[in-house]
Amino acid sequence: MANNVLTVGNAKIISLHDTVIPSRMTDFIPGTKPGDWKKYPKEVDEKGFARKPMNIAAFLVITPKQKVLVDAGIGPVPFPSSPDLVGSMLGRLKRTGVQPEDIDMVFATHVHLDHMGWCAVLDGNKLTRTFPRAKYVVPQTDWDSLFNPKAVYKRRPKDTSDQGMEIMSWSKPLAERMAIFGNIEHTTEDGQNITPELKVMDTPGHTPGHQSVLLSSKGERIFFPGDAMHFPVQLDVPERIVGADVHPKLGARTRSRVSKWMEKEGVMVASCHFPAPGFGHVVRGKGRRYWQPLKPK
Ligand SMILES: [Zn+2]
């Protein structure tokens, strides 16, 4: 089996690479200098760049009754912070034998562009619907933060980063198009099932309503943390503030909680931003917490 395909109970998970973003940890985690990362020579180089750039991926989850995309990559429109960056995920999806019309649901862990990008394709200059039958499911609080921000930020006004807010604003044109496409539903509760196998878990901070996903099938599990963390090295320093988080302090608390939970549970993890294909476990050894990628079979 290719190393981007995993079987979990009755489900098949296929990691679909979209693109990569070169990333400097000293920018990603503001206030750190290259020297601060000396302890992690395998993960961060002497100039402060992550040795492996941030992967952008989506996961195709095939269950006996449904085909679900957990996140939908950067998509066909250049990413605002890196104008050369467009995704390749849709071609990879088709090469698995699954066509856009086969997708039953797209769940976005949050409303950032690199998680909803392929919800639309370009037809000339116009964004049109990519997955004609799919229901789009997006956390309610995140959707509100684009279309009814007062309701959200009234509850969390004191811990908001300008960078996080700017990144959030990039998503609005696409979300407006999605609203016109219709067939959008929202998750409103922690622990809500979106399919019999997939349950969302509240992991706010990166965005106000960010949710991770846990798949359980026949006693086996796999966890999709979404953007609770972006780089494996963060597992050991989850408390470090991330500039791209809308609510940086809440994000740090969530990252600490999720990192500990993944280690304690020993759960299989599918990370959209860890190096492709993003499957592995969070383990402890040599006095630190680290990422152990799944060995290719
Ligand atoms: Zn992301």
Side-chain angles (χ1 to χ4, degrees):
M1 208 186 277
N3 77 338
N4 68 327
V5 183
L6 204 62
T7 301
V8 179
N10 275 337
K12 189 154 103 172
I13 323 295
I14 304 178
S15 173
L16 298 168
H17 168 73
D18 200 32
T19 184
V20 292
I21 303 185
S23 317
R24 200 168 178 161
M25 294 309 295
T26 42
D27 295 334
F28 191 76
I29 301 190
T32 60
K33 299 187 191 69
D36 296 335
W37 297 98
K38 263 190 192 150
K39 200 180 149 194
Y40 305 100
K42 286 189 180 151
E43 284 124 315
V44 183
D45 73 13
E46 52 289 342
K47 289 186 179 144
F49 280 92
R51 289 204 186 268
K52 293 198 172 146
M54 190 196 293
N55 185 39
I56 310 280
F59 293 99
L60 172 63
V61 177
I62 302 176
T63 66
K65 294 208 172 139
Q66 293 179 85
K67 291 182 179 65
V68 178
L69 276 174
V70 174
D71 287 324
I74 262 184
V77 178
F79 200 57
S81 65
S82 315
D84 298 332
L85 220 65
V86 290
S88 61
M89 187 275 269
L90 196 63
R92 284 171 213 274
L93 173 75
K94 290 177 184 169
R95 288 199 289 281
T96 69
V98 173
Q99 300 306 316
E101 55 272 25
D102 299 329
I103 299 294
D104 297 290
M105 180 191 297
V106 180
F107 176 73
T109 54
H110 59 298
V111 297
H112 278 172
L113 267 189
D114 57 315
H115 296 260
M116 302 196 305
W118 282 110
C119 290
V121 280
L122 271 174
D123 180 6
N125 287 330
K126 211 170 131 208
L127 285 171
T128 61
R129 195 182 175 100
T130 312
F131 308 106
R133 289 178 43 251
K135 177 160 78 173
Y136 291 86
V137 183
V138 183
Q140 180 79 56
T141 303
D142 257 24
W143 199 254
D144 282 349
S145 66
L146 292 178
F147 295 108
N148 186 16
K150 271 190 192 155
V152 178
Y153 297 114
K154 217 189 274 175
R155 299 201 299 268
R156 293 175 182 155
K158 288 192 185 121
D159 174 26
T160 304
S161 91
D162 291 346
Q163 190 192 351
M165 294 296 281
E166 191 198 347
I167 295 172
M168 198 84 179
S169 71
W170 296 344
S171 312
K172 202 157 180 202
L174 172 60
E176 280 167 348
R177 285 298 301 165
M178 288 168 64
I180 292 166
F181 301 156
N183 210 9
I184 295 185
E185 290 184 10
H186 300 292
T187 44
T188 52
E189 279 171 47
D190 186 38
Q192 185 175 339
N193 274 84
I194 50 172
T195 76
E197 304 85 359
L198 293 170
K199 190 164 82 167
V200 298
M201 289 165 65
D202 279 349
T203 45
H206 182 57
T207 59
H210 185 283
Q211 287 182 316
S212 304
V213 185
L214 182 67
L215 179 148
S216 308
S217 176
K218 294 195 104 185
E220 294 181 40
R221 299 187 302 171
I222 186 165
F223 179 62
F224 304 83
D227 283 16
M229 62 280 303
H230 296 74
F231 294 94
V233 70
Q234 288 178 280
L235 294 167
D236 200 44
V237 284
E239 69 286 357
R240 291 268 198 187
I241 293 293
V242 167
D245 285 356
V246 173
H247 300 300
K249 288 180 198 157
L250 180 59
R253 286 201 296 278
T254 292
R255 196 159 37 256
S256 299
R257 172 170 63 84
V258 173
S259 301
K260 267 184 215 151
W261 181 83
M262 293 190 296
E263 181 192 334
K264 184 170 134 284
E265 295 287 315
V267 66
M268 174 69 74
V269 174
S271 167
C272 54
H273 286 316
F274 285 9
F279 297 132
H281 293 92
V282 175
V283 296
R284 180 163 290 275
K286 296 177 192 148
R288 60 164 289 198
R289 190 186 288 128
Y290 65 96
W291 175 242
Q292 191 169 67
L294 198 66
K295 287 197 180 79
K297 282 186 184 151

